[in-house]
Amino acid sequence: MRYLGALYLLFLGAKLLYATFIQKNQTAQQPLESSNSILRKSLTLSLTNPKAILFYVSFFVQFIDFNYAHPGLSYTILALILESVSFVYMTTLIFAGSMLAHFFSHKKRLAKLGNGLIALLFLGFATRLATLSS
């Protein structure tokens, strides 16, 4: 299994190096997304996140008093709090990612340098993983 992981990291690193330095740049510049689009995307990601749904089901049950007259209300309040935090977190990530994508679309050399360094990091991790002794 370790060697499969190392091969996968090697593949990712090589693919990233190829895409960064060898493959011709055929991507068109995409316009910056509108705030409404970003918020809609954030809400969709937050509401359909399977990890959050499993978290609701498995973790929240421990904090619900089933002797309370309305345990569904407690569950709903906990879910709304977690969903609100998740929405703010996802919105922040999407806005930051959109701004970084816009920044790097104008700084091609810096973007190539960053991609090359990440590819080398993947190749290094693959090498380290393959040479670990049990």
Side-chain angles (χ1 to χ4, degrees), residues 4-14 119 121-127 129:
L4 284 175
L7 277 173
Y8 181 64
L9 287 172
L10 183 70
F11 168 74
L12 287 177
L121 192 67
F122 280 168
L123 294 174
F125 283 147
T127 305
L129 186 60

Side-chain angles (χ1 to χ4, degrees), residues 2 11 22 35-36 44 58 60 84 86 99 108:
R2 181 177 68 211
F11 168 74
I22 297 171
S35 295
N36 287 339
T44 303
S58 63
F60 279 1
S84 299
S86 176
M99 287 189 299
K108 298 291 185 189

Side-chain angles (χ1 to χ4, degrees), residues 42 45-47 49 52 56 80-93:
S42 174
L45 282 172
S46 187
L47 288 174
N49 185 356
Y56 295 154
L80 286 173
I81 290 170
L82 183 66
E83 193 58 42
S84 299
V85 170
S86 176
F87 176 73
V88 169
Y89 173 69
M90 291 287 188
T91 302
T92 303
L93 285 179

